[in-house]
């Protein structure tokens, strides 16, 4: 990750796992890692928040650090075909897992939130009348938390 805050969170959450290591990236490449040194590169909710040119460069770097036959697995919140095209153009085998809400999953999230087991970061809370602004903020892809529209009942 390029965020020291996210590195710290990950280290805190996974401190009990001896085979998990964190590295703070520079936001451009995977320079500290040797060529063909990984079988799997996992990205969770990252590439869709980057400008396509930055994502493409990371795809090139991913191809460099993956062993032959290695896989880039992405957990994404939507079906951005631009990312798939950029990965293909960079010669990266991409496997995506799309996250789609479902009833039981949403019920579990509500349970966690109600019990204090889920913390949601809200960066922008806007009235419904500013839906256009909320969309612009989401498209920008650089939010640190959720963009929420307040709807009066």
């Amino acid at each position: 990750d390029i965020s020291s805050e996210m590195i710290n969170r990950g280290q805190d959450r996974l401190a009990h796992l001896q085979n998990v290591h964190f590295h703070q990236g520079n936001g451009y490449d995977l320079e500290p890692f040797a060529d063909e040194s990984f079988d799997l590169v996992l990205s969770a909710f990252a590439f869709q928040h980057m400008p396509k040119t930055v994502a493409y460069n990371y795809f090139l770097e991913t191809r460099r650090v993956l062993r032959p036959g290695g896989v880039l697995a992405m957990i994404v919140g939507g079906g951005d075909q631009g990312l798939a095209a950029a990965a293909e153009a960079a010669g990266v085998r991409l496997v995506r897992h799309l996250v789609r809400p479902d009833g039981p999953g949403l019920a579990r999230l509500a349970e966690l939130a109600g019990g204090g087991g889920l913390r949601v970061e809200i960066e922008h809370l806007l009235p419904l009348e500013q839906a256009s602004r909320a969309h612009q903020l989401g498209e920008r892809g650089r939010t640190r938390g959720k963009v929420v529209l307040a709807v009066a009942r």
Side-chain angles (χ1 to χ4, degrees):
D1 205 299
I2 62 170
S3 165
S4 59
E5 180 182 346
M6 296 310 290
I7 294 289
N8 291 337
R9 286 184 185 186
Q11 288 171 330
D12 290 344
R13 287 182 179 177
L14 302 176
H16 64 285
L17 299 175
Q18 298 301 311
N19 65 339
V20 175
H21 306 280
F22 291 86
H23 171 80
Q24 185 169 348
N26 61 14
Y28 181 73
D29 61 27
L30 301 173
E31 178 271 326
F33 303 110
D35 293 358
E36 298 183 1
S37 55
F38 294 97
D39 294 311
L40 172 70
V41 173
L42 172 66
S43 170
F45 305 105
F47 286 112
Q48 70 265 31
H49 299 295
M50 297 177 189
K52 298 298 185 261
T53 54
V54 174
Y56 179 75
N57 190 67
Y58 268 113
F59 289 142
L60 291 174
E61 282 290 284
T62 298
R63 183 182 66 191
R64 179 183 67 76
V65 301
L66 280 173
R67 291 184 181 109
V71 173
L72 166 61
M74 286 177 45
I75 301 171
V76 296
D80 188 331
Q81 294 305 313
L83 288 178
E88 184 177 341
V92 174
R93 181 174 159 220
L94 174 66
V95 176
R96 295 190 303 174
H97 174 75
L98 297 178
V99 178
R100 299 192 197 288
D102 63 6
L106 292 173
R108 177 68 178 132
L109 286 175
E111 179 184 319
L112 287 170
L118 178 68
R119 187 175 135 225
V120 178
E121 293 185 34
I122 298 175
E123 183 172 346
H124 299 281
L125 177 60
L126 303 170
L128 183 59
E129 295 77 28
Q130 292 185 22
S132 176
R133 172 80 175 128
H135 182 72
Q136 290 171 345
L137 290 167
E139 287 293 309
R140 186 181 68 188
R142 291 185 173 81
T143 59
R144 292 186 52 92
K146 299 297 181 187
V147 177
V148 177
L149 288 173
V151 180
R153 287 185 179 206

